[in-house]
Amino acid sequence: MNATAPAVQARNTTHAPAVEARNLVKTYPGDVTALSGMEITVEAGTVFGLLGPNGAGKSTTVKILTTLARPDSGTATVAGHDVLRHPDRVRRAIGVVAQRSGADPVATGRENLRLQGRLYGLRGAALTRRVDELLERFDLADAAQRVVKGYSGGMQRRLDVALGLVHRPEVLFLDEPTTGLDPEARTAMWEEISRLAGDEGLTILLTTHYLEEADRLAERIAIVDRGRVVVEGTPDELKGELRGDAVHLELREAVGGGSGRLLRDALGGLPGVHEILIDGRRVSARADDGAAAVPALLGALERAGAAVASATVARPSLDDVYLRYAGRRFSEAEAAASADASASAAALVTAGDAR
């Protein structure tokens, strides 16, 4: 960060988006494509969620928007500043809470905040007031003189957010802000993020792989899969596009190939049932009336020779939205990302051993 930056930045008073990215492409060695045409627009004063599994390209997008990485192609602006042409201006206008804490673990909470403030040009009484304000706001005043390595996970995360707010940024980037937190600490963080958006009119770009987190916090969501946005809208809009109820059935045995096609044909003629997806032991469909459709689905599957172990009916969720537009369940995408990460790590170890 630029140590000579002014302590308080002028707010962007134009009607231009707070964040805009167009056709971002980013690849890494080993022919790994992180972004394949990422496009997002974030209006000022809103909470915008990038929702996707690990490995979808969310963190790479944030790195580009916060000037920590350069795209292979494409353009992006933050707070009206081009991230490639004017990176210093972007850095002065943003706060960043990365996945890993940036706090000094052997310094106290107060010392961390004072150092961050000094980097942004705050001095004297103004710095003391801002540090005291943030310690109080994030319920860290009693722990201000303790070294950070003794903080709980929730306390460390609250300090990370406070550090990102010292200089009163226009745009705050929260990259997976609640990963690793227990449910109580996660709920507390959600409440604080909601207050930030509501009380200060701050623009927040949030990345998350928690469906509930995106649904609760974000005014608009871009669902990301394999380095691109597959659909965007408000949570209610996205869920409202899915007609009827979601019906999920678990078969006793997996099916595939010809058997899967026979099951799909058997279910396809049922009235009020549509968007049928069969994957191994899982059968998913949308139904105009889920409760009424379950007996017909069970009967059709039984006649086709497929035994059902369980059946559930639910109102549309973001998981259902992801399934429609990405063509796979969120949990399956997460599992695939974990497998890819493990394979990449194994390849690196093998390459190292071969040297």
Side-chain angles (χ1 to χ4, degrees):
M1 296 296 182
N2 191 336
T4 62
V8 180
Q9 300 300 311
R11 296 286 174 179
N12 180 5
T13 58
T14 71
H15 295 293
V19 179
E20 189 169 33
R22 290 287 172 262
N23 199 30
L24 293 180
V25 174
K26 180 67 176 178
T27 58
Y28 291 108
D31 199 27
V32 176
T33 299
L35 300 180
S36 56
M38 176 69 72
E39 299 205 359
I40 59 171
T41 300
V42 182
E43 298 301 329
T46 64
V47 180
F48 187 93
L50 281 182
L51 172 65
N54 292 321
K58 306 185 303 296
S59 292
T60 298
T61 301
V62 168
K63 287 179 180 178
I64 291 171
L65 294 174
T66 57
T67 75
L68 296 177
R70 295 178 64 90
D72 299 334
S73 61
T75 61
T77 59
V78 176
H81 308 298
D82 188 292
V83 298
L84 297 178
R85 294 171 57 196
H86 303 293
D88 286 346
R89 297 180 189 175
V90 172
R91 292 169 192 154
R92 288 194 291 268
I94 64 174
V96 182
V97 180
Q99 289 189 36
R100 294 186 178 181
S101 176
D104 182 349
V106 297
T108 68
R110 180 178 295 278
E111 288 169 343
N112 270 280
L113 286 166
R114 288 188 64 85
L115 174 59
Q116 185 80 345
R118 290 178 64 84
L119 290 173
Y120 280 98
L122 281 167
R123 298 289 188 273
L127 174 59
T128 299
R129 283 195 303 270
R130 185 58 174 161
V131 168
D132 288 343
E133 174 189 344
L134 290 169
L135 287 170
E136 189 68 33
R137 173 165 194 165
F138 287 91
D139 196 24
L140 293 170
D142 291 342
Q145 300 305 121
R146 289 167 49 191
V147 295
V148 171
K149 66 180 179 181
Y151 282 14
S152 68
M155 292 170 65
Q156 287 189 25
R157 214 57 183 139
R158 295 200 303 275
L159 177 62
D160 289 334
V161 177
L163 289 168
L165 293 172
V166 166
H167 60 299
R168 294 185 173 88
E170 291 185 53
V171 182
L172 179 65
F173 290 87
L174 300 176
D175 193 9
E176 303 280 0
T178 64
T179 296
L181 297 184
D182 60 56
E184 183 179 357
R186 179 173 296 137
T187 299
M189 181 60 70
W190 288 352
E191 293 173 353
E192 186 55 47
I193 292 170
S194 296
R195 280 195 294 270
L196 284 172
D199 296 348
E200 300 187 10
L202 191 64
T203 302
I204 298 176
L205 192 151
L206 165 79
T207 77
T208 182
H209 64 277
Y210 294 123
L211 297 167
E212 183 185 0
E213 184 164 273
D215 202 353
R216 175 167 172 173
L217 296 177
E219 295 166 59
R220 291 188 66 82
I221 294 171
I223 294 182
V224 183
D225 186 59
R226 298 184 176 98
R228 62 186 181 89
V229 173
V230 295
V231 68
E232 180 185 332
T234 70
D236 288 342
E237 286 173 349
L238 296 176
K239 291 181 289 185
E241 291 176 358
L242 303 178
R243 289 191 295 124
D245 301 318
V247 181
H248 300 290
L249 304 104
E250 189 84 10
L251 304 179
R252 295 190 183 279
E253 295 181 1
V255 297
S259 297
R261 286 191 294 273
L262 288 174
L263 286 186
R264 192 174 293 105
D265 291 341
L267 301 177
L270 297 176
V273 177
H274 42 90
E275 296 184 34
I276 299 164
L277 178 67
I278 301 173
D279 183 14
R281 293 177 55 198
R282 298 181 181 181
V283 178
S284 298
R286 303 217 60 78
D288 295 338
D289 185 337
V294 167
L297 286 164
L298 294 176
L301 289 169
E302 183 179 357
R303 289 191 295 274
V308 177
S310 65
T312 59
V313 178
R315 298 301 299 164
S317 68
L318 288 180
D319 194 19
D320 298 315
V321 175
Y322 187 87
L323 176 61
R324 166 184 270 193
Y325 289 101
R328 53 181 178 165
R329 291 178 177 82
F330 201 89
S331 58
E332 293 166 353
E334 289 269 62
S338 296
D340 289 345
S342 297
S344 297
L348 288 173
V349 171
T350 301
D353 292 343
R355 292 194 181 106

